[in-house]
Amino acid sequence: MSIDAVPPLKSAQLGSDSHSDLNSNEGSNDTNSDEPALEFVVELALPVPLLRTFDYLPVAGESRSIYHPGQRVRVDFGRQLLTGIVINTRSDTEVPHNKLKPLLARLDDKPLLEPEDLALARWMADYYHHSLGEVLEHWLPTMLRRGCSLSEAEERSWGRTAIKPSDDESANEAQVKGEKLRGERQQALWQRFCEQPEIAHRTLTQAGFTLAQCRKLEALGYITEQQSVPLPAVTTTPKPDLPLNPQQQAALTALSAELGSFRACLLEGVTGSGKTEVYLQLLNQVLERGQQALVLVPEIGLTPQTVQRFQERFNVPVALLHSGLNDRERLQAWRSAREGKARILIGTRSAVFTPLPDLGLIILDEEHDGSFKQQDGLRYSARDFALLRARRANIPVVLGSATPALETLQNALKGRYLHLKLSQRAGNAKPPKMKLHSILHQKLIGGLAEPVLNAMHQHLHNNKQVLVFINRRGFAPLLACRQCGWMAECRHCDARMTLHQYPPHLHCHHCDAQQAIPKQCPQCNSPEIEGLGQGTERLEDELAVLFPTTPVRRVDRDTVRTKSAFDDLFNEIHNGGSCILVGTQMLAKGHHFPDVTLVVIVDSDAGLFSADFRGMEHSAQLIQQVSGRAGRANNPGEVWIQTLYADHPQLNLLIDNGYHALALSMLEQRLEQHLPPYSHMAILRSECEDKAIAQQFLQQARQLTQHWLQHYSNSQAPVSLMGPFPAIMERRNGRFRFQLQLFCPQRQALHQTLDGLLQQLHGLKGFGKVRWHLDVDPLDTL
């Protein structure tokens, strides 16, 4: 999205259209003349899927002066108890007085959200055509949405007192009130406080220290007990900056010049070019200015590795926000960022909403990654919202990628974004040699061609590591009968069940349905049923047979379900020594494996003929990112790509000339076809257990859109409609899915059309069984 084309905030649209359909009491519409005069009402945003706000009476006895926008309140809404956000107070309302309900409680004395937060939320509600109350939920961690207080982020901690050993006195020799520390554990505990002045009690117990040991230090006057929000450990000896090559230095100089004002910057650097080092040195300048920084990363798996590098370089608290944290940990990180204690916040998509009072820089690493786009509920783009937030805060935003999204690249080529390039790898590392290998009419052993196996033997013999990439979990993508051709299909989806062996079961990766593996064919009773095709589990087993003396490690969602499992596995990989890594796209997310010198892509053909117009773009990004794991240190790397279509022109363009050349070619095709980024797009999707009703709903939506365009639209920009037609997977989780696509060369004209359509759809009768949603700037058309 071009930040220059963002529609303006329409604060009145959601702020003044208040209704009381569901917050009213039973009774007559006639107001009672004996009722006391109405002093004021509180206008609220509630987390319900209605495009309006709601009026309530204040808590009995409370004055208007203590209500402020951004406060939380507790309300009775129908049969639910909800936490709402105060938007405004007014002296009048269109709701009859006897229909107004009072607030149950005011939860905050001071607003949790600033006026700027509310303005950004209004923009998002308007742009994505979503409920303001549901949008505001993304600004608050779960515990605050449930009505908990900020103080619940606090926990028992211990703080070092001013008394500490003198410069010539070790911690073991420290004396307080004439007494010496006794025992190795107490000395080790005190050493912890010499390194860090405040430590959460939970952290100490996890390290094996007891409450009695803490009480002893407290009695000696070394530490005091307190309630506080625990902060991450801060290193006392930060690692120095690494030397930059001329391209890195030029990029850093250009980015430094943008600090203090808004500028969208694309840092397009090949894999291994040292983009992270540029980030780190730029962040150091932001911290020197007394400001905070927000760093967004695409996957939870990338976060621990990134946090470690940041913690080693800065002696400031670095907070972490991602879905792997529990609710209290998320509240603690949110509060430390909001209060300015955490100077750097690293997080995944939802961290983009976190309040940061001194924000001076936003960085999106791997900005092309699809995980920055929410795929359910509020379908927002964290990248696009980061651009808007940076513009309104008048700060720069850095978008980093080796394979930028075509929308981002087009904005850079048009001069809307500052375009910086890193075309060479950092240090002495060289780009890997790319080899496209045809497997047409070739015999495969374990899914791999003989030349590929020979290359693996050679690299492993040199005590290096080999990464084998296959983007398919499980043992086999299909279980079939050799006698009658029966295939194990999901009963709820137009998809086949994936065969898993660890543990043994059939699993639909679309609706999560699972069932036991049959012992014989359900159709002909033949025992000759087998798995066809290859997944990570089968490839792991076959490689263990082909390379019996080499450890084989599988990396997918089934093996690294927890943060600790992920950390343990990657620590083992970084310890060095020959091994084979088998995995899915989890291995392609910016990880640094210095001993990987060979990458094998088992099947590169999945996205070459996708029905989604972004299929080739996503496939090329994945191939390039996986290939970038090879040869990142001083050892030369190579990449073998197996394909049935070695003469595919776009695949050859990628291998011979790189992603940038292919991206320019794809942009030309998009321009000819009037597809994004040269037009703006939205998809209206419907789903229902009744196929006909799902389709009829979108047929009605198309007719309403056409009628609105003919009679009410004042724009000269044409809005094109495609559909309705079935989704590529028509039935999923027992529901039939259809979509209606809308295109327009002007963003404002598209949104005016969507406004007109949605006003009519919300009043449409007879489609109560249909689930539908609007996806603005969709990531795919699947």
Side-chain angles (χ1 to χ4, degrees), residues 226-248:
Q226 54 196 34
Q227 291 289 119
S228 65
V229 179
L231 292 174
V234 177
T235 181
T236 56
T237 54
K239 289 186 176 181
D241 293 342
L242 299 179
L244 302 179
N245 62 34
Q247 287 188 340
Q248 289 175 301

Side-chain angles (χ1 to χ4, degrees), residues 525-537:
N525 296 324
S526 170
E528 297 184 38
I529 55 175
E530 63 179 356
L532 302 180
Q534 197 171 35
T536 51
E537 291 180 2

Side-chain angles (χ1 to χ4, degrees), residues 103-162:
L103 301 176
L104 299 179
R106 181 173 49 84
L107 300 178
D108 306 310
D109 291 329
K110 297 181 179 180
L112 285 186
L113 300 178
E114 299 296 326
E116 179 60 19
D117 296 318
L118 298 177
L120 288 169
R122 284 194 182 99
W123 175 89
M124 180 164 279
D126 180 51
Y127 186 80
Y128 292 105
H129 304 271
H130 211 77
S131 156
L132 177 60
E134 290 183 324
V135 168
L136 282 169
E137 277 202 309
H138 289 73
W139 260 259
L140 300 175
T142 301
M143 291 182 68
L144 295 183
R145 296 202 298 263
R146 292 173 180 166
C148 299
S149 67
L150 269 179
S151 62
E152 297 195 41
E154 299 174 356
E155 59 181 76
R156 174 190 287 171
S157 63
W158 301 90
R160 187 182 67 202
T161 64

Side-chain angles (χ1 to χ4, degrees), residues 476-495:
L478 174 64
L479 180 68
C481 175
R482 295 174 60 89
Q483 294 297 320
C484 69
W486 168 86
M487 295 178 290
E489 297 183 340
C490 179
R491 292 191 292 267
H492 311 288
C493 306
D494 290 338

Side-chain angles (χ1 to χ4, degrees), residues 732-748:
R732 185 167 68 185
N733 202 16
R735 305 180 73 87
F736 292 91
R737 307 185 304 144
F738 287 80
Q739 58 181 251
L740 175 66
Q741 299 180 359
L742 299 90
F743 297 87
C744 185
Q746 292 184 6
R747 190 186 302 275
Q748 185 176 6

Side-chain angles (χ1 to χ4, degrees), residues 403 434 608 616-617 619-624 627 641 648-663 666:
T403 56
M434 309 278 284
L608 299 183
M616 186 65 214
E617 177 189 356
S619 181
Q621 289 168 342
L622 188 56
I623 290 173
Q624 198 75 5
S627 301
I641 303 174
H648 192 282
Q650 290 182 307
L651 187 57
N652 278 275
L653 181 60
L654 174 67
I655 302 304
D656 296 338
N657 301 98
Y659 176 82
H660 189 84
L662 175 61
M666 289 189 290

Side-chain angles (χ1 to χ4, degrees), residues 165-166 168-176 179-192 194 222:
S166 60
D168 57 351
E169 182 182 36
S170 71
N172 294 346
E173 297 170 342
Q175 296 186 20
V176 176
E179 296 187 49
K180 293 185 177 181
L181 294 174
R182 303 292 183 182
E184 294 182 0
R185 293 302 292 166
Q186 284 197 353
Q187 293 172 2
L189 178 59
W190 171 241
Q191 185 61 41
R192 284 288 190 103
C194 289
Y222 279 100

